[in-house]
């Protein structure tokens, strides 16, 4: 069961989005756990880096607007699926600064909500289903792909950097490259592939990934920027 947060200060729209989610669940035979927050400050105060799969975030709210709340959110969770809700489309463009998955412009009719919500649900479910088996030293670990920040190759070994630690496995990037490229990763040099969901920023010769600075090769720069642009546009 996916957990959904609605951050919306207007009761009428809260009720509308609740109904839309119920209707979607009925049509697709899914059950959703929905929690409502009336403004960004309440949401940020309650959120502790987990617990929700999809967040519907209004931008115009009292006390703390949706953009500011999203910036706080990304400090503790860089990957949760975030959909902005706004009355003006130009505000939604700012959502790409905080890695928003998509946006909805009020008034929101159900057919459009259904399309965008289905896309979000599909992305979350695909991510949850995608695991990679890391084996070595007599141990085996099923690692969710979405939790891997980057993979480093060194002297016939692969090092998987995750929030839970670094896991080592004998192998080469060529052996796993296609799988990870199909799951939102991109090469930044001959020995590093990074998860685009963890990219904080970049300069001419560096990429910041989950607070770490990694070298970006000139040869790989164009391909990296192309794939990052597609990812930020919701295409991965």
């Amino acid at each position: 069961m996916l957990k959904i947060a609605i951050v919306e200060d207007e009761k009428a729209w809260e009720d509308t989005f609740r109904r839309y989610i119920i209707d979607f669940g009925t049509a697709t035979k899914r059950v959703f756990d929905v929690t409502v927050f009336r403004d960004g400050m309440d949401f940020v105060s309650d959120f502790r880096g987990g617990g929700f799969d999809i967040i519907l975030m209004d931008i115009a709210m009292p006390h703390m607007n949706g953009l500011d709340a999203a910036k706080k959110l990304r400090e503790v969770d860089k990957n949760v699926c975030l959909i902005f809700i706004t009355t003006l489309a130009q505000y939604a463009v700012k959502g790409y600064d905080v890695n928003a998955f998509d946006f909805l412009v009020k008034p929101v009719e159900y057919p459009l909500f259904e399309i965008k919500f289905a896309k979000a649900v599909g992305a979350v479910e695909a991510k949850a289903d995608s695991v990679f088996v890391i084996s070595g030293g007599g141990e085996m670990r099923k690692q969710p792909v979405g939790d891997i920040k980057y993979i480093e190759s060194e002297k016939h070994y692969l090092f998987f950097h995750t929030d839970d630690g670094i896991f080592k496995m004998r192998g080469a990037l060529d052996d796993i490259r296609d799988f990870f490229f199909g799951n939102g990763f991109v090469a930044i040099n001959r020995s590093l592939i990074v998860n685009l969901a963890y990219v904080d920023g970049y300069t001419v010769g560096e990429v910041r990934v989950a607070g770490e600075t990694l070298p970006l090769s000139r040869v790989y720069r164009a391909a990296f920027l192309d794939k990052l642009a597609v990812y930020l546009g919701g295409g991965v």
Side-chain angles (χ1 to χ4, degrees):
M1 177 169 59
L2 297 186
K3 294 185 177 181
I4 315 298
I6 299 174
V7 190
E8 170 62 66
D9 64 310
E10 295 184 53
K11 184 64 166 60
W13 278 110
E14 171 200 325
D15 293 342
T16 296
F17 291 128
R18 278 185 180 273
R19 186 175 70 252
Y20 285 175
I21 292 169
I22 291 171
D23 290 347
F24 181 87
T26 300
T28 61
K29 296 181 172 59
R30 291 180 173 90
V31 177
F32 299 98
D33 181 2
V34 179
T35 302
V36 175
F37 300 89
R38 286 300 174 82
D39 63 56
M41 190 172 292
D42 286 346
F43 171 75
V44 168
S45 297
D46 186 84
F47 191 84
R48 292 294 182 271
F52 296 110
D53 300 293
I54 299 172
I55 299 168
L56 303 175
M57 177 85 74
D58 191 19
I59 289 182
M61 293 184 292
H63 308 304
M64 180 182 288
N65 65 46
L67 289 170
D68 289 340
K71 291 175 184 177
K72 294 290 186 182
L73 164 69
R74 289 305 186 217
E75 291 177 3
V76 293
D77 192 324
K78 296 184 181 298
N79 299 306
V80 64
C81 185
L82 175 63
I83 299 176
F84 273 124
I85 304 162
T86 181
T87 54
L88 297 172
Q90 59 263 39
Y91 289 150
V93 175
K94 296 181 179 179
Y96 293 131
D97 293 338
V98 289
N99 193 23
F101 181 82
D102 210 332
F103 64 91
L104 291 161
V105 178
K106 293 177 180 177
V108 183
E109 299 295 335
Y110 179 75
L112 180 60
F113 176 88
E114 180 183 26
I115 291 170
K116 300 207 171 189
F117 192 68
K119 181 181 175 183
V121 169
V124 170
E125 291 180 340
K127 179 180 175 181
D129 291 340
S130 184
V131 297
F132 184 81
V133 176
I134 302 173
S135 59
E139 297 181 355
M140 184 272 284
R141 176 186 181 89
K142 288 185 177 180
Q143 180 67 44
V145 170
D147 293 340
I148 300 172
K149 295 182 286 189
Y150 65 93
I151 304 168
E152 182 179 14
S153 173
E154 183 180 356
K155 295 181 180 179
H156 309 296
Y157 283 93
L158 298 169
F159 296 86
F160 297 81
H161 294 252
T162 78
D163 288 330
D164 297 325
I166 302 173
F167 303 98
K168 179 180 176 181
M169 168 180 161
R170 188 170 183 85
L173 281 182
D174 286 344
D175 300 331
I176 63 170
R177 195 183 307 271
D178 289 345
F179 173 81
F180 281 96
F181 281 5
N183 281 278
F185 283 67
V186 63
I188 61 171
N189 60 49
R190 63 183 300 177
S191 62
L192 285 168
I193 61 175
V194 303
N195 188 337
L196 288 165
Y198 286 92
V199 172
D200 300 323
Y202 62 87
T203 62
V204 173
E206 296 176 336
V207 180
R208 294 190 301 278
V209 179
E212 296 186 57
T213 300
L214 305 175
L216 172 62
S217 167
R218 180 179 58 82
V219 175
Y220 290 79
R221 179 179 168 83
F224 163 73
L225 293 178
D226 286 346
K227 194 157 187 181
L228 181 64
V230 171
Y231 175 80
L232 294 176
V236 170

